[in-house]
Amino acid sequence: MASEDVKTSETAVSTIVNLAEEAKLAREGVKAPSSHALLSIAKSLVAGGVAGGVSRTAVAPLERLKILLQVQNPHSIKYNGTIQGLKYIWRTEGFRGLFKGNGTNCARIVPNSAVKFFSYEEASKGILWLYQQQTGNEDAQLTPLLRLGAGACAGIIAMSATYPMDMVRGRLTVQTDKSPRQYRGITHALSTVLREEGPRALYRGWLPSVIGVVPYVGLNFAVYESLKDWLIKSNPLGLAEDSDLSVTTRLACGAAAGTVGQTVAYPLDVVRRRMQMVGWKDAASVITGDGSSKAALEYTGMVDAFRKTVRHEGFGALYKGLVPNSVKVVPSIAIAFVTYEWVKSILGVEMKISD
């Protein structure tokens, strides 16, 4: 059977090496099969999109609570912890309230994840080829530092391409049925912000997002790929079988990668969310206030946002929402990576059988 010739899972490292070899052949004038290249691109895009959508939906209630904790007015505390916050949302907004903003999040995260995963493989392909040329070793593999660079590039490209959707998604997530003004959906929110606040408003918080990409996305990829490589090569406790890892082991690798990335980058995420709320005057009762005032804060930039947050609320304010974020990030990142490889594996088997 043709399916017996296909491994049940395709590791990211082998994919990178294969793509790098195609790039090498192309540069030497040897034309790689175009059908294989197109199928590889399609698999990366589809698998990345599915992985992002599935993982975000699974942890949508925790994601919403995290954002509410990050931006709520400290003079009118409604959400005070993970359990209490989830209970409060359930009591005041019902089951649908737990998933408010999830539709918009999926609309953003599917193309974001697709572009991110695809960009990572393409960046890795080019970086690996350059590294092999510089070292003169065609068998050289990507180092953790090079993986960090590839992951950071992929994260910046994907985040920038979908940032306006993330900005309005934050506002849609924060608003409740009692908010002074309601955005009716992503299209209405985008058009309203554009009309009332200008095009630059759609990119508020972009700078801390870019800076946060390096430790968050970069370390996610680097730690995950490096752990997989180490486990396969050293095979401690017999975790690797036939040069592959079980789903459970991959979940552990994804959990470790997510924990490292989110802890390092979290203060930048808090500042990003607060900057996104600037200019939304009708949400002053929701977002954080300046000093003893209940008016919404106005930030002149990222540094000013850090300074005012720490001055008025203390250093701990930079980690508001960290607990629900920690609870959600482990399964979210793990599910995303495992789903990505699982979907690619299925697509690979189906394509091989159909040939």
Side-chain angles (χ1 to χ4, degrees), residues 269-303:
D269 187 55
V270 172
V271 168
R272 170 176 69 114
R273 288 297 174 200
R274 294 191 170 200
M275 291 181 69
Q276 287 177 348
M277 303 300 160
V278 170
W280 191 20
K281 61 181 182 301
D282 291 316
S285 62
V286 178
I287 59 179
T288 186
D290 188 356
S292 59
S293 171
K294 292 187 178 181
L297 269 177
E298 291 293 334
Y299 303 122
T300 59
M302 181 182 69
V303 175

Side-chain angles (χ1 to χ4, degrees), residues 195-210:
R195 182 178 66 254
E196 296 183 355
E197 302 175 45
R200 291 184 61 184
L202 294 175
Y203 280 88
R204 286 197 183 113
W206 180 82
L207 181 57
S209 297
V210 170

Side-chain angles (χ1 to χ4, degrees), residues 212-231:
V213 160
V214 176
Y216 186 67
V217 177
L219 286 176
N220 277 343
F221 278 107
V223 173
Y224 180 78
E225 297 288 357
S226 298
L227 275 176
K228 281 207 318 179
D229 279 358
W230 178 76
L231 290 172

Side-chain angles (χ1 to χ4, degrees), residues 64 79 88-97 100 176-177:
R64 189 187 179 211
Y79 313 96
Y88 183 84
I89 294 173
W90 175 277
R91 187 173 67 254
T92 58
E93 301 180 62
F95 179 78
R96 293 182 61 184
K100 184 168 289 186
T176 67
D177 295 337

Side-chain angles (χ1 to χ4, degrees), residues 142-156:
L142 288 174
T143 64
L145 184 60
L146 293 177
R147 288 196 181 103
L148 176 62
C153 289
I156 291 173

Side-chain angles (χ1 to χ4, degrees), residues 6-51:
V6 182
K7 294 175 64 177
T8 57
S9 178
E10 179 180 78
T11 64
V13 174
S14 63
T15 302
I16 292 169
V17 173
N18 290 337
L19 291 174
E21 182 61 25
E22 289 177 17
K24 179 173 177 288
L25 290 172
R27 286 173 173 80
E28 292 175 351
V30 180
K31 192 173 182 179
S34 58
S35 60
H36 180 274
L38 290 174
L39 290 176
S40 179
I41 291 172
K43 286 196 294 181
S44 295
L45 289 173
V46 172
V50 172

